[in-house]
Amino acid sequence: MSESTVTPSETQAAIKAAMKEAMKSRDKERLATIRLMQAEFKRIEVDERIVLDEARVIAVLDKMLKQRRDSQKQYEDAGRDDLASQEASEIVVIQEYLPQQLSDEELDTIIDGAIAAADGSGMQAMGAVMGQLKPQLQGRADMGAVSQKVKARLAG
């Protein structure tokens, strides 16, 4: 495929523009995070020999965000506030390129709809409900928190 026929996703284009802006303004921390995002996109494209579409870009960013949140918590638990603050600053930059987060009310409505649509009840329906929710909520909600909410609803 020639370079001219491959169009990056809208989010990738925004990240590339932000990288140029960070270079011009000499914002080293922001630039480092943006380069991490672009390196991950490139790694996936090379490893899988694909061009990332918008949905996959959001999924990659969501995974990176989850990794940063986990690391931040571990660093805070270990008393490494310097490393925790680095993770926090990366979280802020990554979140800029994810869709608007859903409010608790919107999230509850979507979860209720997925539970109603699922075949079965109780914890047996957990997989079906989460399978239905993941594509809808990718990048728009913390899937760990969603899983806890679904468990609570199905158990009680």
Side-chain angles (χ1 to χ4, degrees):
M1 236 187 263
S2 69
E3 193 66 36
S4 61
T5 61
V6 176
T7 57
S9 74
E10 198 174 298
T11 303
Q12 278 182 301
I15 291 170
K16 189 171 186 173
M19 184 171 86
K20 290 177 185 176
E21 187 59 40
M23 287 174 157
K24 287 179 185 175
S25 65
R26 301 186 190 278
D27 187 347
K28 290 181 181 177
E29 289 179 9
R30 183 174 174 78
L31 180 59
T33 304
I34 291 171
R35 283 184 170 153
L36 283 172
M37 291 187 288
Q38 289 203 311
E40 185 64 15
F41 297 149
K42 192 63 158 175
R43 183 192 66 75
I44 292 169
E45 288 178 339
V46 169
D47 287 353
E48 299 179 19
R49 293 183 176 93
I50 60 169
V51 175
L52 297 177
D53 62 355
E54 188 68 19
R56 184 73 188 269
V57 168
I58 297 301
V60 169
L61 291 176
D62 194 41
K63 181 179 178 184
M64 290 179 75
L65 186 66
K66 182 183 182 315
Q67 290 169 335
R68 298 306 179 287
R69 285 181 177 148
D70 291 345
S71 296
Q72 181 184 19
K73 183 179 179 335
Q74 289 175 359
Y75 288 141
E76 286 170 351
D77 292 346
R80 295 294 310 265
D81 294 333
D82 55 331
L83 295 174
S85 68
Q86 171 68 28
E87 296 293 331
S89 68
E90 290 180 9
I91 287 170
V92 169
V93 174
I94 293 170
Q95 282 179 326
E96 290 176 28
Y97 301 99
L98 287 170
Q100 182 67 34
Q101 296 292 298
L102 294 172
S103 69
D104 282 339
E105 295 80 28
E106 292 171 316
L107 196 54
D108 290 340
T109 303
I110 293 171
I111 290 172
D112 289 340
I115 290 173
D119 292 334
S121 61
M123 292 308 291
Q124 299 91 332
M126 181 75 177
V129 172
M130 289 305 293
Q132 187 177 358
L133 289 174
K134 188 167 182 171
Q136 289 180 312
L137 302 178
Q138 188 79 48
R140 299 174 64 202
D142 177 9
M143 292 308 292
V146 170
S147 176
Q148 294 303 318
K149 284 185 173 207
V150 171
K151 266 187 198 167
R153 293 244 174 83
L154 291 174

